[in-house]
Structures are given as C-alpha cells and as structure tokens.
Amino acid sequence: MGKATLVVMAAGIGSRYSGGIKQLEPVGPSGEIIMDYSIYDALEAGFDKVVFVIRRDLEKDFKEIIGKRIEKIVEVAYVFQELEDIPIKFRAKFKNRLKPWGTGQAVLCCKDVVHEPFVVINADDYYGKEAFSKAYDYLMTTTNLTDRLPVFMVGFILGNTLSKNGSVTRGICTVGEDGMLLDIVETHQIEKRGNKAVTFDGDFEKEIDIESIVSMNMWGLYPRFFDMLEEGFEMFVSTLEKSDLKSEYLLPVVIGDLLKQGMVNVHVLQSSDEWFGVTYKEDRQLVVEAIRSLILQGEYPESLYVDGNIDAL
C-alpha cells in the first residue's frame, strides 16, 4: 500500500493536569504511555512514518521516554511548536504571549516534513484499532484531490468522551445522512450529569444530546491542506488585538470554516471503539484499567516492546 504519516500533537502544556507532563505518564503494565498504543495501532494499520509535534523544552525528556524506542521501528521526525513561529511582521506585536497558538498551528509546523497523506491525533487520547484501520484505508483509496479537498475525521459518541473529573471541550458535529460533516461547533465546559451532558450558555445550563458525534482531533488530511492552513493562520493572527494573548488557531474551527467556504468536503468515519484519554490527573487510573482490560481481551500483548522492538510488528 501507499505511504502515510501519523502526526502526534504532543506540545500541549497540560495546564489542567498537575504533577507532570500528562502525555508521558505510563498507563501500560510495562511502562507504556498512551502514545505507544496509538503508534502500535497505526503501524499495524499500515502507517510508515511518525512525526511528533513537541516543544523544545520537552525534547530531551520526550526522546528519552518515547522517541528513542520509536526511532528503532519506524521513520521518525520531530517538529517544534514555538510561540515565535508566526509571520515575522507579527512577532513584535505578540512578544509577551506565553500560550501556544493551538492545534491548527501545531499541524502547520509539519509543513516541511510531511509530504504524504497523513492523520493527526492528540498525544493523550486513545482512539482504538478500528479508527486507525479506517483512517489508513480512507487515505489510500481517496484520489479526488482536484476541486474541494477531501478531509475526514473519525467521530466518537459524546457520552463516551466525557470525564468524570471535570469539564471538557469537544467539537460537536452535525452529520448528514450521507456521512458528510455539515457543521462543527467547538463547545466548551461540557460536563457529565448522570446520563446527560450539559454545557453553560452564559449563566444558563444547556443540555447537549449525549449521543452527538464529536471530534477528538483525529483528522485525515493531504499535503495541499498546509497551504490552506498557512493562509488561514496569517489571517487569524492579523485579526487579533495586541492584548489578546490566549486566542488559539484550532483545527476543528479551521476545518469548520473551510467547510462553510466550500473549500473542503469532510467525511465522518465513525468508530465503534471506545475512546479514552487523560484530561485530569484523576483520569489516569481509568485509562490504566481500560488498557488492562484490552490486554486481557487479547487486543495487545502484555508488553508492547520486546528487545526494543514493538512486539509482533
């Protein structure tokens, strides 16, 4: 089959997670982290290159904990998401900014190292084998790259992506009967209340359909997308006030805007696998238990690595 790259966004500060860098916390019985399982599933599906988006201050720890072992089994590249990595004419204006520019800029950082179809994921989310298998198959079989750029996302059911330990942000999707994305709305402060999901509209509580399809930032893209991202990022930065030090260029918002402009078609691939991830420190134990259950079901070996190589791949 053809070449495909996995882009892992691991530059997030993890401000809601005290006590260490959440992306590097072990969750498997032999010290594996969530990324190990995503990479295992991606390689099994057919991906043959991994690009890590990290911060320079994480580089040493990141390579020590995961990079060196992944480099032994697959082609690896590193790109750095830096605050100053914006058009030169805007750098002085935002010299006081401390917050990263968001997931859209994280992907844009990969422009010079990704030249093949690719899938983007969060480092601290577990997506499941079916998601990677469907993603790879889609990338390899979609050839219409002429008019509207084909994009896909793997959608998950909102109720399966909520944390018991606090509120989350999700891209709530409206999907047509033909499986195409009609709209995506980045929705903040979603909480689980019994069997319901609620958010807040000002001071008012608003219920959201717990069966809604949501984006967990697993997107399938093609290299031509970088040009759209770059143009959009410059426009985004140009509209910000000097005092605005927190607004982010978010991938779901970018893709939603391109969809409205008729520049992309977005196919929603639905996975029946359960998503899980670490938003809060208290979530980690739930992930450990979920991984243990998958191992007992035979989905993964007890240890992913044998003599420095991913077992069975």
Side-chain angles (χ1 to χ4, degrees):
M1 293 289 278
K3 288 187 163 294
T5 290
L6 177 68
V7 172
V8 183
M9 297 187 292
I13 288 174
S15 56
R16 289 166 298 184
Y17 184 84
S18 58
I21 301 167
K22 65 178 178 177
Q23 291 91 343
L24 305 183
E25 283 276 313
V27 294
S30 301
E32 296 91 349
I33 60 180
I34 289 180
M35 267 181 278
D36 284 313
Y37 292 96
S38 292
I39 291 166
Y40 183 94
D41 290 340
L43 297 185
E44 196 173 58
F47 289 82
D48 57 6
K49 178 177 169 183
V50 177
V51 175
F52 293 113
V53 184
I54 60 174
R55 301 197 313 267
R56 284 198 185 274
D57 63 306
L58 289 185
E59 183 178 10
K60 185 173 180 292
D61 285 347
F62 192 93
K63 286 184 175 179
E64 199 63 45
I65 292 172
I66 185 167
K68 286 180 180 176
R69 65 173 179 246
I70 301 301
E71 288 169 12
K72 293 177 184 176
I73 53 175
V74 68
E75 181 185 349
V76 169
Y78 298 91
V79 298
F80 301 101
Q81 185 177 14
E82 299 295 314
L83 288 169
E84 64 272 16
D85 193 6
I86 61 175
I88 293 171
K89 60 187 175 185
F90 300 117
R91 287 179 189 170
K93 180 179 177 182
F94 294 105
K95 65 181 187 296
N96 294 325
R97 186 179 173 104
L98 298 175
K99 188 178 181 65
W101 287 101
T103 50
Q105 191 225 8
V107 175
L108 183 56
C109 293
C110 302
K111 184 178 182 180
D112 294 333
V113 298
V114 176
H115 309 290
E116 51 282 314
F118 63 102
V119 161
V120 176
I121 63 168
N122 293 333
D124 48 356
D125 288 336
Y126 172 88
Y127 297 95
K129 290 180 181 297
E130 185 183 10
F132 287 99
S133 178
K134 284 187 171 182
Y136 182 79
D137 289 347
Y138 188 94
L139 286 178
M140 293 302 106
T141 54
T142 301
T143 55
N144 175 25
L145 300 179
T146 51
D147 186 15
R148 294 188 180 195
L149 184 68
V151 169
F152 73 80
M153 58 160 273
V154 178
F156 293 82
I157 294 172
L158 173 61
N160 291 339
T161 73
L162 299 176
S163 172
K164 297 175 182 175
N165 299 303
S167 65
V168 298
T169 297
R170 298 287 181 257
I172 306 285
C173 301
T174 305
V175 183
E177 290 183 7
D178 58 357
M180 302 303 288
L181 183 68
L182 300 175
D183 192 21
I184 180 167
V185 178
E186 191 80 353
T187 307
H188 303 274
Q189 287 189 293
I190 306 174
E191 295 181 7
K192 190 169 188 177
R193 296 278 177 83
N195 295 322
K196 295 180 180 180
V198 299
T199 186
F200 297 91
D201 186 359
D203 294 331
F204 299 99
E205 204 173 88
K206 177 181 167 186
E207 186 175 344
I208 304 174
D209 182 0
I210 203 159
E211 296 294 317
S212 299
I213 299 298
V214 297
S215 159
M216 298 305 302
N217 264 343
M218 187 174 192
W219 297 96
L221 302 158
Y222 295 86
R224 209 174 94 201
F225 183 72
F226 289 121
D227 295 332
M228 297 178 178
L229 261 187
E230 192 164 42
E231 187 178 327
F233 184 52
E234 179 156 353
M235 193 176 299
F236 169 80
V237 175
S238 71
T239 61
L240 295 183
E241 296 293 331
K242 182 179 180 180
S243 58
D244 186 343
L245 302 178
K246 291 193 172 181
S247 289
E248 293 179 272
Y249 188 58
L250 299 171
L251 202 51
V253 176
V254 173
I255 292 173
D257 288 345
L258 290 170
L259 183 64
K260 290 187 181 82
Q261 294 164 28
M263 295 178 71
V264 298
N265 281 329
V266 184
H267 201 126
V268 180
L269 310 179
Q270 291 191 34
S271 173
S272 57
D273 285 345
E274 186 166 353
W275 168 95
F276 48 82
V278 181
T279 302
Y280 298 94
K281 190 173 180 66
E282 295 79 8
D283 294 335
R284 178 179 170 273
Q285 189 53 38
L286 297 174
V287 175
V288 170
E289 290 164 9
I291 293 287
R292 166 53 60 193
S293 176
L294 288 167
I295 290 169
L296 292 174
Q297 292 168 39
E299 293 288 319
Y300 299 105
E302 182 75 21
S303 175
L304 285 190
Y305 296 92
V306 176
D307 298 328
N309 291 308
I310 279 191
D311 184 46
L313 285 179

